[in-house]
Amino acid sequence: MAGGRPRAFDADAALDRALEVFWRQGYEGTSLTDLTTALGINRPSLYAAFGNKEELFLKALERYNSGPGAYAAEALAAPTVREVVQRLVLGAVELTTGPHTPPGCLTVHGVHACDPDSAAVRHAAIACRMAGEAALRRRFEQAADLPADCDATTLARLVHTVTDGIAVQAASGRTRDELHRVAELALRTLVPETGSERP
């Protein structure tokens, strides 16, 4: 017996469209109608392909982390603490002010005002951000060039506070040039350049 009728849409492309909607409008600001319209499918097809709205958001969050947001994990491979921080703060500007992506950050803006019924979504986004901060802390703890008077936990938290702030400012309409200047000043403040650093 022949299998079921094949889907009439590209699931990967549909997930990319859902990601953009959530990124632009936030979780609470996105309705099922918004999603079905963006994906070009009806509700039964959406449920069959992705589950409910919460499940679709969690899939979109995974897509975000492995796609647009992957720069954060990749920055940890930079050879010096300063270069790690540089890639993170400048990468945050590039991500949140990109010409082909919504302003802001999905994990900051997307769940900013979740109601109690959406606690699982909010917790997933927070867990994602906390995991990134923990990975950055571990990178700093292993760094031979971290100044002796610098606490790895506090520096990791401070860097994430700066990148989150960049995302909020981008969502509020700050331009790429404005936020580049902020990022450069933050970099000089967080990890001052020394004579031993490469330019």
Side-chain angles (χ1 to χ4, degrees), residues 19 23-24 61 63-73 86-109 128-129 163-164 166-171 174-176 179-180 183:
L19 167 58
W23 192 346
R24 189 176 302 280
L61 181 59
R63 188 78 153 200
Y64 178 84
N65 289 330
S66 64
Y71 79 93
Q86 181 179 46
R87 292 186 189 187
L88 286 170
V89 296
L90 294 180
V93 175
E94 295 301 314
L95 174 69
T96 60
T97 62
H100 304 298
T101 56
C105 168
L106 177 66
T107 62
V108 176
H109 166 68
C128 172
R129 291 162 61 193
T163 56
D164 283 356
I166 287 171
V168 171
Q169 290 290 313
R174 294 294 182 188
T175 67
R176 176 171 291 200
L179 291 178
H180 261 299

Side-chain angles (χ1 to χ4, degrees), residues 126-180:
I126 290 173
C128 172
R129 291 162 61 193
M130 294 301 291
E133 184 178 305
L136 182 58
R137 184 200 72 235
R138 291 192 297 271
R139 171 64 180 84
F140 289 157
E141 288 173 343
Q142 297 164 3
D145 61 328
L146 186 72
D149 61 348
C150 186
D151 176 68
T153 298
T154 303
L155 180 58
R157 190 166 298 148
L158 181 55
V159 171
H160 269 251
T161 299
V162 170
T163 56
D164 283 356
I166 287 171
V168 171
Q169 290 290 313
S172 300
R174 294 294 182 188
T175 67
R176 176 171 291 200
D177 286 344
E178 288 174 325
L179 291 178
H180 261 299

